[in-house]
Amino acid sequence: MRNKKILVWFRNDLRLHDQPALLEATQRAEEIVPVFIIDQRLFEKTEIGLSKAGAHRINFLLESITDLKKSIKAIGGDLYVGVGIPEEKVAELAITHGVQSVYYSQDVCSEEISQENKLQRVLSKAGIDWKIFWSSTLVDKNDLPFSINQLPDVFTKFRNKVERECNYAIPLDAPEEIISPEFDTDIPTLEQCGYELPDFDQRSAIKFVGGENAAISRVKEYLWEGDHIATYKETRNGLVGKNYSSKFSPWLCTGSISAKYIVDEIYAYEDERVKNDSTYWMIFELLWRDFFRFTAYKQGNKLFHVQGFSEHPDRKWRKDLRTLEKWIDGYTGDEFVDANMRELKASGWMSNRGRQNVASYLIHEMGVDWRWGAMYFEHALIDYDPASNWGNWAYLAGVGNDPRPDRKFNTQKQANDYDKNRAFRNLWLNPIAS
Ligand SMILES: Cc1cc2nc3c(=O)[nH]c(=O)nc-3n(C[C@H](O)[C@H](O)[C@H](O)COP(=O)(O)OP(=O)(O)OC[C@H]3O[C@@H](n4cnc5c(N)ncnc54)[C@H](O)[C@@H]3O)c2cc1C
């Protein structure tokens, strides 16, 4: 039977393409109520004295929602945007709009899952149904060759089995039409959210613009216009510039682009241009992303505990804000670490090579609680994603997957290997020329 009204709760899936909850809702309902609620808890301070999400991240999110609203309007509908506690607001809206069902994409981390549980309790009392979709990974949860409880703890085991036994699904089309009420809600500005827009730093690797349209343009640019994908394996450890790596992560984190869409484009590129180790390696890295997501789902809130997935804490960590500040501001005295940290603060971005080094330095040289490092990344990174961030931090701290105490980087050697001519250090350590 066709529902009269379905509410679609957008979360980290801010796109029209490959959006199973949205597509099915448009097929099943006479009218849909598309909703995005900016979580006010993002503005609250954590124990390191900074908001959960900083200005770069919030700005990118606001751009992403603006783009989504525009795209929905272009096919006849509208997007309700509010600020508050999403699980409460969504339930309220479901009741006031008299919907029969709420559709949304399931998330993987414990806070997001607890939001879902709270929402379900209110919906159930109100006699409203819900349907959950899985949309964030390359391999769907139901296509995994093992149950989540049996998920391997070592990436290589996961990857080998997935590569042998799974196909990656073709991304779904975007709906052609959306019928929804019109809303008179405005998207708040960054200033209304309590932030100031930082000036764009000309040294930034790239100017990120939020939203599905910018995401698709970046895929086009990285694959088809620049052919950068064809050399990705050789350039991916770079530090300076737009194209040493794909820079897809901020759009993947907000869900403005789907991993399946990217892989579908890579397959087309392999058919039409070139198939090599580099084109494969991008898919390999996307499997790391899947691995961290499924691991977060399996481990629940252990991911955020100091001892991670191990049962017993085996080391004492420093919790000294002044030491942390030196690291944050890029004044540790280690030039490679400092250059990377200054880049992050100024631009919301840091390369993967940089992230590994600065995390290792905080953990192994400064002895600071690894969770404080993860909290700062949560605040500062434009591409913050709970599963990838906390998963990588726990991994480097030796309390995550494949625990080993020796994931320590020699930052001097790394600087010599990856920044031989000092281009990166000079860029970020020297004052900007006016
Ligand atoms: C301490 C630490 C914290 C991190 N925090 C985050 C985070 O909050 N959000 C985030 O998306 N990534 C995080 N990463 C992983 C990785 O650094 C970024 O995904 C990558 O640098 C993004 O740049 P790119 O899109 O150009 O990557 P590319 O090299 O072009 O890779 C393509 C895609 O593969 C995925 N990917 C690549 N490497 C990893 C990895 N190690 N783990 C998970 N996925 C990966 C990303 O989705 C990325 O966009 C973290 C890594 C470390 C060491």
Side-chain angles (χ1 to χ4, degrees):
M1 202 183 67
R2 201 165 158 88
N3 276 296
K4 266 183 100 119
K5 265 193 203 173
I6 293 174
L7 186 151
V8 178
W9 174 26
F10 282 94
R11 309 177 80 196
N12 295 316
D13 49 8
L14 303 178
R15 60 179 184 264
L16 299 189
H17 75 274
D18 200 26
Q19 222 296 14
L22 175 68
L23 187 64
E24 192 172 312
T26 58
Q27 289 162 347
R28 294 221 166 179
E30 287 165 19
E31 185 178 53
I32 69 164
V33 181
V35 171
F36 184 84
I37 305 297
I38 302 168
D39 195 332
Q40 67 187 42
R41 291 166 293 207
L42 292 175
F43 313 145
E44 288 169 7
K45 286 190 176 155
T46 61
E47 64 179 85
I48 60 169
L50 294 167
S51 57
K52 265 190 148 194
H56 290 292
R57 217 177 114 202
I58 295 294
N59 189 48
F60 188 81
L61 176 65
L62 296 177
E63 288 173 355
S64 311
I65 310 163
T66 306
D67 182 67
L68 180 66
K69 189 169 168 93
K70 231 196 229 164
S71 300
I72 294 179
K73 280 191 160 185
I75 52 170
D78 199 358
L79 177 71
Y80 178 99
V81 179
V83 182
I85 306 286
E87 58 275 25
E88 292 174 5
K89 282 261 182 187
V90 168
E92 258 171 55
L93 288 164
I95 294 165
T96 49
H97 281 273
V99 306
Q100 279 78 55
S101 191
V102 172
Y103 282 14
Y104 62 88
S105 301
Q106 184 172 5
D107 227 317
V108 293
C109 285
S110 48
E111 276 180 11
E112 287 73 11
I113 291 175
S114 111
Q115 293 179 3
E116 292 170 25
N117 294 340
K118 282 186 197 147
L119 171 66
Q120 288 171 12
R121 279 199 290 277
V122 183
L123 293 180
S124 158
K125 275 195 197 141
I128 299 171
D129 205 2
W130 62 87
K131 186 164 179 185
I132 303 167
F133 296 78
W134 189 271
S135 70
S136 70
T137 49
L138 180 55
V139 183
D140 279 322
K141 187 180 79 179
N142 292 336
D143 293 342
L144 284 174
F146 26 70
S147 69
I148 288 290
N149 286 340
Q150 301 296 318
L151 180 82
D153 289 330
V154 176
F155 172 69
T156 310
K157 282 195 191 150
F158 165 83
R159 180 179 62 83
N160 286 341
K161 212 158 163 52
V162 163
E163 285 183 338
R164 256 198 324 268
E165 295 179 37
C166 299
N167 287 318
Y168 311 132
I170 296 169
L172 301 169
D173 288 335
E176 284 173 10
E177 186 186 26
I178 290 182
I179 299 169
S180 79
E182 255 185 59
F183 304 109
D184 57 4
T185 54
D186 284 329
I187 298 173
T189 62
L190 192 63
E191 289 72 23
Q192 285 165 341
C193 295
Y195 295 84
E196 249 179 73
L197 187 66
D199 284 339
F200 178 70
D201 192 310
Q202 296 301 332
R203 297 170 295 178
S204 304
I206 181 171
K207 184 157 179 31
F208 286 109
V209 176
E212 182 177 15
N213 285 298
I216 289 173
S217 299
R218 176 61 186 160
V219 175
K220 276 201 186 112
E221 178 181 54
Y222 192 74
L223 272 64
W224 300 102
E225 291 161 15
D227 283 308
H228 304 295
I229 182 105
T231 51
Y232 168 68
K233 195 162 179 225
E234 291 87 66
T235 60
R236 57 182 282 275
N237 282 310
L239 298 159
V240 182
K242 198 175 179 184
N243 296 318
Y244 61 81
S245 68
S246 72
K247 313 289 192 296
F248 293 157
S249 54
W251 292 289
L252 280 163
C253 295
T254 47
S256 296
I257 198 138
S258 88
K260 290 187 195 119
Y261 177 93
I262 295 173
V263 169
D264 204 44
E265 288 289 304
I266 295 175
Y267 285 161
Y269 182 89
E270 288 179 334
D271 284 345
E272 288 179 36
R273 302 247 173 111
V274 58
K275 178 177 171 157
N276 62 16
D277 283 357
S278 282
T279 54
Y280 163 74
W281 211 260
M282 179 64 60
I283 302 173
F284 173 99
E285 292 297 342
L286 288 168
L287 285 180
W288 263 111
R289 176 175 176 272
D290 274 19
F291 179 63
F292 281 120
R293 296 190 83 77
F294 289 124
T295 300
Y297 193 55
K298 173 183 171 182
Q299 299 287 357
N301 63 3
K302 277 191 199 165
L303 182 59
F304 306 98
H305 291 174
V306 69
Q307 72 268 33
F309 310 155
S310 59
E311 295 302 321
H312 307 288
D314 64 349
R315 93 177 246 200
K316 290 238 174 302
W317 298 92
R318 279 176 83 187
K319 278 195 154 187
D320 170 21
L321 279 176
R322 274 205 296 207
T323 310
L324 182 77
E325 272 163 23
K326 276 192 199 156
W327 178 78
I328 288 178
D329 294 336
Y331 285 96
T332 64
D334 180 307
E335 287 192 323
F336 193 48
V337 171
D338 291 348
N340 275 295
M341 293 307 294
R342 289 184 203 182
E343 179 187 24
L344 176 57
K345 195 169 197 183
S347 70
W349 176 259
M350 191 192 289
S351 67
N352 184 56
R353 184 59 34 196
R355 294 179 203 202
Q356 289 176 322
N357 275 277
V358 302
S360 166
Y361 192 85
L362 187 81
I363 292 165
H364 298 293
E365 304 295 339
M366 299 178 106
V368 171
D369 189 331
W370 66 272
R371 295 172 307 164
W372 277 18
M375 268 176 220
Y376 178 62
F377 270 30
E378 175 165 357
H379 167 84
L381 276 178
I382 213 166
D383 69 358
Y384 169 71
D385 171 89
S388 291
N389 186 58
W390 290 78
N392 272 289
W393 272 95
Y395 181 81
L396 290 167
V399 299
N401 290 107
D402 192 7
R404 263 190 256 154
D406 59 349
R407 287 215 170 80
K408 182 172 165 177
F409 285 69
N410 177 340
T411 52
Q412 309 288 326
K413 183 174 178 322
Q414 292 268 313
N416 290 338
D417 289 349
Y418 296 102
D419 189 31
K420 217 176 270 170
N421 57 9
R422 297 189 56 89
F424 177 70
R425 277 166 291 173
N426 288 343
L427 183 66
W428 288 101
L429 295 178
N430 295 338
I432 316 173
S434 51

